[in-house]
Amino acid sequence: MIFVAVVRVAVGLLLAVTLPVSVLAADMAAGMQKAQTCVACHGPEGNSASPAIPSLAGQPAQFIATQLVMFREGRRKDAQMSPFATGLANADLNNLAAYFAAQKLVLPTREAPSATAEVGARLAQQFNCTQCHGPALMGQQHIPRLAGQQMDYLKTQLLGFKASTRFDMDGQMTSAVQALSEADIATLADYLSALK
Ligand code: HEC
Ligand code: HEC
């Protein structure tokens, strides 16, 4: 309950959130067991093969756990995903987070066109994506990994932040994308999804 209370307070105060997810105490075997229902959509070991469904492999555990709480509480909504978060206890979602965080992301085989990669890398610097998501865009704490994520998914989320339709716990992402054009967003999604 403390976990949920902390989330609520943090969201309420619009703070940069550091959730007390006890990853060390997580039960990987239980996480793997629970993950059997998730991999139908998120792919084997959390490596998605569907353009609209995000990979979970190699995401920071704190990010996964936070998003699951947000889906469970109805703050982030998705017709496909929400039903699977509804019944999760805090222990379940910590175990799931630890399990998926420990899986290896299958590296993308596609290369972005060199002009796209060049412009994408420049945009990621200019708009501070690398400041929050990490120098190699691998994510940290409650901030997701972007490198190697599904391209369509990245694009949809970025357009969603720009339109304020994608849940955003502290408003940082929504403001980060305001100055991006739709063409910039397409370039970034192409660049990021091919990043190894
Ligand atoms: C019926 C398909 C389906 C199932 C089963 C499913 N998910 Fe999802 N999940 C989705 C979709 C689609 C999204 C993207 C939602 C959106 O666009 O906002 C998603 C998003 C997520 C996210 C957010 C990832 C991110 O990068 O923002 C997490 C975490 C997640 N799912 C975890 C799980 C876990 C854990 C399970 C099993 C308990 C599970 N999902 C089961 C379809 C599914
Ligand atoms: C000030 C910090 C910050 C900056 C700058 C930032 N992000 Fe984010 N980003 C976040 C946080 C925090 C989240 C998680 C938001 C949430 O779900 O509440 C996020 C989420 C995302 C997501 C959703 C991914 C997923 O798996 O659901 C995408 C895509 C993304 N950021 C791309 C970018 C890009 C591209 C840039 C640069 C144009 C950028 N971000 C700049 C902090 C930042």
Side-chain angles (χ1 to χ4, degrees), residues 54 59 63 67 76 123-124 127-133 142-146 149 153-154 157-158 161 166-170 172-173 176-177 180 188 192:
Q59 280 291 8
F63 169 71
Q67 296 299 318
R76 183 172 172 187
L123 289 169
F127 290 93
N128 300 321
C129 318
T130 46
Q131 295 251 329
C132 291
H133 291 271
H142 65 293
I143 305 180
R145 171 180 182 139
L146 303 176
Q149 186 53 281
Y153 176 75
L154 289 172
Q157 300 305 307
L158 289 168
F161 284 122
R166 155 75 207 253
F167 164 76
D168 183 8
M169 78 180 80
D170 54 14
Q172 289 188 320
M173 259 319 293
V177 297
L180 296 175
L188 276 165
L192 292 167

Side-chain angles (χ1 to χ4, degrees), residues 90-155:
N90 289 344
D92 294 335
L93 60 89
N94 279 333
N95 294 342
L96 282 162
Y99 169 72
F100 282 116
Q103 305 312 303
K104 274 220 155 58
L105 182 73
V106 173
L107 294 178
T109 48
R110 190 179 61 87
E111 298 281 340
S114 61
T116 306
E118 207 174 292
V119 177
R122 184 166 51 70
L123 289 169
Q125 292 290 331
Q126 188 185 341
F127 290 93
N128 300 321
C129 318
T130 46
Q131 295 251 329
C132 291
H133 291 271
L137 299 154
M138 303 275 279
Q140 50 181 337
Q141 299 179 346
H142 65 293
I143 305 180
R145 171 180 182 139
L146 303 176
Q149 186 53 281
Q150 288 287 339
M151 175 158 65
D152 285 6
Y153 176 75
L154 289 172
K155 200 166 143 194

Side-chain angles (χ1 to χ4, degrees), residues 34 37-38 41-42 52-56 59 63-64 67-68 71 76-78 80-81 84 88 96 100 149 153 157 166:
K34 275 262 168 203
T37 49
C38 319
C41 290
H42 289 281
I53 300 184
S55 287
L56 303 175
Q59 280 291 8
F63 169 71
I64 297 174
Q67 296 299 318
L68 288 172
F71 279 117
R76 183 172 172 187
K77 295 192 178 90
D78 179 76
Q80 286 186 81
M81 180 55 215
F84 291 92
L88 295 177
L96 282 162
F100 282 116
Q149 186 53 281
Y153 176 75
Q157 300 305 307
R166 155 75 207 253

Side-chain angles (χ1 to χ4, degrees), residues 3-51:
F3 176 64
V4 174
V6 171
V7 173
R8 288 217 175 98
V9 169
V11 169
L13 296 177
L14 305 178
L15 293 175
V17 191
T18 314
L19 297 176
V21 177
S22 53
V23 175
L24 287 177
D27 180 340
M28 290 284 238
M32 186 161 97
Q33 189 68 31
K34 275 262 168 203
Q36 296 317 306
T37 49
C38 319
V39 298
C41 290
H42 289 281
E45 279 130 33
N47 280 288
S48 169
S50 316

